[in-house]
Amino acid sequence: MKKQHSKILDNQALLDIVALSSDAFAIYTSEDIIIEFANDAMLELWGKKRDIIGLPLYQGLPELHGQPFKQILQDVLKTGKTKDGIISAQVSIDGVLQTHLYEYEYKAVLDHSGIPYAILHRANVVTERERNRKVLAIQKSKVHDLNVALSASNEALQAKNEELNIKNEALSKLNLEIIKLNQELSGQANDLKHMLADLSESENRFRTLVDQAPVAVFMVEGADLVIRTANSLMLSMIGKDHSVIGKGFFEALPEIKEQPFANLLHQVYQNGEVHHGRELFARLNKNGRLTDGYFNFVHQPIKNSTGSTKAIVCVAFNITEQVLARKAAEQAQNHLELALQASKLGTWTIEWQTEELMLSERFRQLYGIDGDPRLSLEEFFQSVDPAYKDKVYSAVLASKQSQCSFTVEYLVNTGSPKLPRWLRSTGKTWFDQFGKASITTGTIMDITEERLNQQRKNDFISMVSHELKTPLTSVKGYVQLLKQKIDKDHSSTMLLYRIDKQVNQMTTLINGFLNVSRFASDKIYLEKRDFDMSILIKELLDDHFFYISSHKILLSKLDHAVVNADYNKISQVILNFVSNATKYAPAGTSIMITCCKLADRVQLSVKDQGRGINPENIPKLFELYYRAESGNNDNTSGFGIGLYLCYEIIQQHGGRIWVDSTPGHGSTFHFSLPL
Ligand code: ADP
């Protein structure tokens, strides 16, 4: 289809539009390259005016002579082939030749038969651009070179880096090791610091320890045994002062040189072995006086790192007192054994844990036992005569329960053939720290002979008493008769009353002796019956106490209490208490009787305001024939049998008899009977 051009845009109009373009355009025709058209932009490029239009190229731009442009344009016109590129051209602008680079395009304009008839020239100054491009290229190549060099050096660097890394790794390993070593070192330094601190502290502590130790301590150092430390206990033990510190041992204690143990410290220093000394006798110069003592001690060698002894610590205990006490005890034991032998006393010990009886040789002799020194309690009691078993058992048990000592006389049937033998045992119980009875120990004595003698004596007294009693009864009868006959003669009556009183006293005495011999030969029998104690006391008041004019008899309490006992014998005990009170308390003082009913017993007490009894005499008071010495010309009559009889009577009733007394303030005698 054929192209149709608009009527409005004819050729001139098109050229005018191109003329307005900011791009430089020119049109050439013919072989001479006539400048047919050049827009303002092209004219400015050339530095020419509009007047060059229509001129051949070389006329319009004469400076192009010698430059290839005309030739190139002619070739385009001939060949019809477009030519373009960047080319340098010299143009005269404002009379000055200037060289610029141009980007150009020579485009052949063809007619309808395809033959070129004109050339359209489009151009741009690209001097700046090309220069920049060049600079850029140069810079690029430089950058490239630099990059190459850089990459080369980078590679080298990398290689170096790698090397460095390896070295770094090694270094960091080394560093770690060094850090570790440093840590160890600082730890060790710290340890060392602590050790040093500890050492000085422990040295200080050692000194303080030595100073404050509750035992005597000294330390000697070196072969010369120089005293380095000695606490005050040690100094006082050896009788020296602080001036010995720093001195050699023998210089400080020259008195030891000649004593048998002098070499001990040297020996310990040489053989490095601990030495324990026991009960060593030493004579020490204490403040100028040679003093004997016994010591237990330990010599402890202190060794250095090579194992050789550098010092010796000595800890000593002064056991002089203990040793002397033990020696005294051993001596006492020897004396005791001698005494036991001389007195033919046997000894025994009951171990309560095993309930066994440990017997001495003498004891075994008395019992006819061979060999084994041990006897069970049961075996022992089998040998005691049945009549005395309870008595012995109660005495031992009472001692086990309270801390009181006991003396008991009893009959045993021992040996083969079995023979009766009288023994007296005295014992006391020892308690452990928990208050439990651990042992009861005591002596045993054969009193068979003594008993026989006493028996003989009692028999004799009994016989004499009987013999005396018969005529005395007759005398009393005659006195009674006489009293009735001569009661008008006052003075004779008084004399008879006195004779009667004396006869009564003699009768009481003789009865006493008779009773003693009866008790001693166990010929006394209790005639027990139930009666009220308050009634008995009232009867005594009416029949006996009423007639006492020397003292005031008072009743402070009188409980009703029925007992099963021998009425006469209990009366006899109370009478004896009151009679003694009148004997041993000054006339005019009061005698107070109390009868108290308690939970399981009745207790009777007779209190006087007399001289009292010394505590050491109290345990013997109830023994036969015992009379306490008063110290002030005592002229009270008596034979010391009254309280003995009271004791026997109360014992036979299963009761208890005792006395409370304060010397100078009176005594109170008590007995109690079970209800
Ligand atoms: P006697 O009175 O005949 O000497 P006893 O056996 O009755 O014998 O008394 C023994 C001893 O006890 C007395 O010699 C006396 O020393 C002492 N005695 C007894 N009762 C009292 C008392 N109430 N006050 C002080 N001493 C007493």
Side-chain angles (χ1 to χ4, degrees):
M1 204 162 92
K2 198 176 165 201
K3 275 186 190 171
Q4 286 202 351
H5 291 286
S6 148
K7 286 269 182 208
I8 304 162
L9 289 176
D10 60 6
N11 284 347
Q12 191 51 51
L14 283 169
L15 282 173
D16 288 345
I17 290 167
V18 173
L20 290 173
S21 166
S22 60
D23 284 348
F25 286 99
I27 297 172
Y28 310 106
T29 54
S30 84
E31 213 171 318
D32 286 338
I33 311 297
I34 308 289
I35 303 167
E36 294 288 345
F37 171 80
N39 70 354
D40 291 346
M42 185 61 92
L43 289 172
E44 199 185 342
L45 253 172
W46 286 336
K48 301 299 184 282
K49 303 260 172 1
R50 213 155 257 292
D51 56 358
I52 65 157
I53 303 215
L55 293 178
L57 186 70
Y58 279 174
Q59 270 186 8
L61 291 113
E63 66 268 28
L64 293 183
H65 271 291
Q67 295 187 59
F69 299 107
K70 191 175 174 184
Q71 188 57 53
I72 299 166
L73 284 164
Q74 284 170 340
D75 285 351
V76 171
L77 206 57
K78 230 184 260 171
T79 62
K81 282 186 184 166
T82 301
K83 200 107 167 122
D84 57 8
I86 291 170
I87 198 157
S88 156
Q90 265 188 331
V91 284
S92 171
I93 298 166
D94 297 333
V96 182
L97 261 179
Q98 290 183 14
T99 306
H100 283 288
L101 273 176
Y102 297 94
E103 189 182 48
Y104 75 97
E105 186 184 53
Y106 293 149
K107 195 168 185 131
V109 182
L110 305 177
D111 63 13
H112 55 272
S113 54
I115 295 166
Y117 71 94
I119 298 164
L120 179 63
H121 175 199
R122 188 180 53 80
N124 269 329
V125 182
V126 293
T127 319
E128 198 61 37
R129 197 186 83 191
E130 286 307 305
R131 198 185 297 137
N132 286 343
R133 187 182 290 153
K134 251 189 196 154
V135 169
L136 209 71
I138 292 165
Q139 279 175 346
K140 263 188 182 167
S141 111
K142 275 189 186 165
V143 168
H144 178 258
D145 290 352
L146 265 172
N147 271 345
V148 169
L150 221 69
S151 85
S153 67
N154 260 351
E155 265 168 39
L157 218 68
Q158 207 173 334
K160 278 269 175 242
N161 260 349
E162 272 165 23
E163 220 174 281
L164 224 69
N165 274 346
I166 293 167
K167 282 190 179 157
N168 264 349
E169 249 172 55
L171 220 69
S172 80
K173 264 187 198 163
L174 268 173
N175 257 349
L176 278 179
E177 271 171 36
I178 287 172
I179 288 171
K180 228 166 106 185
L181 272 173
N182 268 348
Q183 279 172 349
E184 271 172 31
L185 222 69
S186 84
Q188 280 173 1
N190 253 350
D191 286 354
L192 212 70
K193 219 165 95 182
H194 284 136
M195 269 161 71
L196 281 174
D198 282 357
L199 206 71
S200 87
E201 203 187 306
S202 80
E203 212 172 296
N204 279 341
R205 246 187 279 147
F206 176 71
R207 276 181 207 288
T208 323
L209 200 87
V210 167
D211 280 345
Q212 294 175 2
V215 289
V217 184
F218 73 71
M219 186 178 84
V220 290
E221 205 176 58
D224 294 338
L225 306 174
V226 175
I227 301 176
R228 288 284 174 229
T229 319
N231 64 5
S232 43
L233 277 177
M234 177 57 86
L235 291 175
S236 92
M237 188 187 279
I238 59 176
K240 306 287 183 291
D241 60 25
H242 278 94
S243 66
V244 296
I245 296 185
K247 285 187 184 163
F249 187 70
F250 294 109
E251 188 192 344
L253 292 98
E255 69 271 24
I256 278 183
K257 260 188 214 158
E258 306 304 325
Q259 299 190 38
F261 60 91
N263 257 337
L264 277 178
L265 274 172
H266 274 309
Q267 278 166 17
V268 172
Y269 193 83
Q270 269 150 22
N271 64 23
E273 281 169 18
V274 187
H275 179 85
H276 293 265
R278 301 217 176 278
E279 281 190 29
L280 180 117
F281 172 80
R283 184 160 288 167
L284 292 164
N285 187 345
K286 286 191 177 182
N287 309 318
R289 251 186 53 211
L290 283 177
T291 314
D292 293 348
Y294 291 89
F295 303 90
N296 276 355
F297 63 90
V298 182
H299 285 338
Q300 172 72 54
I302 310 285
K303 299 188 180 180
N304 60 19
S305 53
T306 60
S308 51
T309 307
K310 63 170 193 173
I312 301 170
V313 173
C314 173
V315 180
F317 305 88
N318 188 344
I319 50 156
T320 312
E321 270 178 36
Q322 290 95 310
V323 172
L324 293 181
R326 200 196 62 223
K327 284 185 190 278
E330 279 168 6
Q331 213 171 22
Q333 180 69 24
N334 286 340
H335 288 165
L336 184 71
E337 266 162 31
L338 276 174
L340 287 174
Q341 266 173 28
S343 62
K344 296 191 175 168
L345 275 173
T347 58
W348 52 268
T349 303
I350 302 170
E351 284 173 3
W352 286 112
Q353 205 180 0
T354 55
E355 300 223 329
E356 273 183 333
L357 196 60
M358 283 285 294
L359 316 172
S360 73
E361 205 183 318
R362 171 70 184 146
F363 191 116
R364 279 177 280 149
Q365 252 177 28
L366 290 175
Y367 269 75
I369 302 169
D370 290 328
D372 196 354
R374 283 172 185 273
L375 203 67
S376 72
L377 273 182
E378 207 185 322
E379 285 170 313
F380 165 75
F381 277 111
Q382 270 165 17
S383 66
V384 179
D385 187 282
Y388 294 89
K389 253 182 205 162
D390 280 355
K391 189 179 174 186
V392 179
Y393 186 75
S394 312
V396 175
L397 204 70
S399 161
K400 191 191 168 192
Q401 279 160 0
S402 59
Q403 292 198 352
C404 61
S405 56
F406 67 89
T407 301
V408 63
E409 291 179 8
Y410 55 98
L411 193 65
V412 291
N413 296 301
T414 59
S416 57
K418 286 202 172 2
L419 289 173
R421 193 190 283 273
W422 278 97
L423 297 175
R424 181 187 293 137
S425 265
T426 304
K428 187 173 162 67
T429 302
W430 306 94
F431 294 80
D432 63 17
Q433 63 269 42
F434 306 109
K436 215 175 134 198
S438 68
I439 56 163
T440 303
T441 185
T443 56
I444 193 162
M445 194 179 182
D446 185 353
I447 53 161
T448 314
E449 197 56 33
E450 193 184 304
R451 274 274 177 161
L452 286 175
N453 285 339
Q454 205 170 358
Q455 187 60 48
R456 282 180 212 120
K457 196 167 72 189
N458 286 336
D459 291 349
F460 173 74
I461 291 171
S462 163
M463 188 190 74
V464 171
S465 304
H466 273 293
E467 292 303 315
L468 284 174
K469 215 181 161 186
T470 320
L472 204 64
T473 315
S474 310
V475 171
K476 195 169 165 56
Y478 297 137
V479 168
Q480 295 299 329
L481 271 175
L482 274 173
K483 260 166 75 184
Q484 285 164 16
K485 284 200 171 168
I486 55 168
D487 57 353
K488 283 169 200 142
D489 181 350
H490 185 67
S491 61
S492 304
T493 312
M494 279 309 291
L495 281 174
L496 277 173
Y497 268 105
R498 279 192 191 149
I499 293 168
D500 194 28
K501 204 179 164 197
Q502 294 301 317
V503 170
N504 282 342
Q505 253 183 27
M506 271 180 81
T507 314
T508 315
L509 268 175
I510 290 165
N511 282 338
F513 283 126
L514 280 171
N515 279 333
V516 167
S517 66
R518 279 187 203 125
F519 270 111
S521 55
D522 295 328
K523 278 182 201 148
I524 193 123
Y525 298 105
L526 299 180
E527 286 166 30
K528 283 188 178 180
R529 64 177 172 90
D530 284 349
F531 61 88
D532 190 332
M533 279 288 282
S534 64
I535 293 172
L536 180 147
I537 292 165
K538 273 185 194 148
E539 278 182 16
L540 287 178
L541 270 174
D542 293 345
D543 298 346
H544 296 272
F545 304 151
F546 180 75
Y547 299 102
I548 295 174
S549 51
S550 56
H551 295 76
K552 276 176 253 160
I553 309 289
L554 305 171
L555 265 178
S556 79
K557 197 173 184 201
L558 194 60
D559 287 347
H560 289 283
V562 177
V563 290
N564 182 260
D566 186 319
Y567 187 92
N568 288 328
K569 293 204 170 57
I570 297 298
S571 304
Q572 195 185 325
V573 174
I574 300 172
L575 279 172
N576 205 94
F577 279 4
V578 174
S579 148
N580 277 352
T582 59
K583 260 162 62 180
Y584 301 108
T589 55
S590 312
I591 297 166
M592 178 87 74
I593 301 170
T594 318
C595 175
C596 290
K597 187 182 175 189
L598 304 171
D600 57 346
R601 62 191 190 276
V602 57
Q603 182 173 320
L604 184 127
S605 310
V606 176
K607 183 177 167 99
D608 65 45
Q609 295 170 322
R611 67 191 192 196
I613 303 154
N614 282 331
E616 70 264 23
N617 294 334
I618 287 178
K620 295 172 265 176
L621 226 52
F622 298 97
E623 285 174 15
L624 184 56
Y625 307 129
Y626 178 79
R627 303 205 72 219
E629 300 289 327
S630 78
N632 2 311
N633 292 331
D634 191 2
N635 50 11
T636 50
S637 63
F639 288 96
I641 54 173
L643 287 180
Y644 164 77
L645 288 173
C646 293
Y647 175 85
E648 289 293 334
I649 291 167
I650 298 299
Q651 278 289 106
Q652 294 232 350
H653 278 86
R656 193 178 151 233
I657 185 165
W658 71 103
V659 61
D660 294 320
S661 183
T662 314
H665 289 94
S667 315
T668 309
F669 282 80
H670 316 265
F671 72 80
S672 68
L673 292 174
L675 287 175

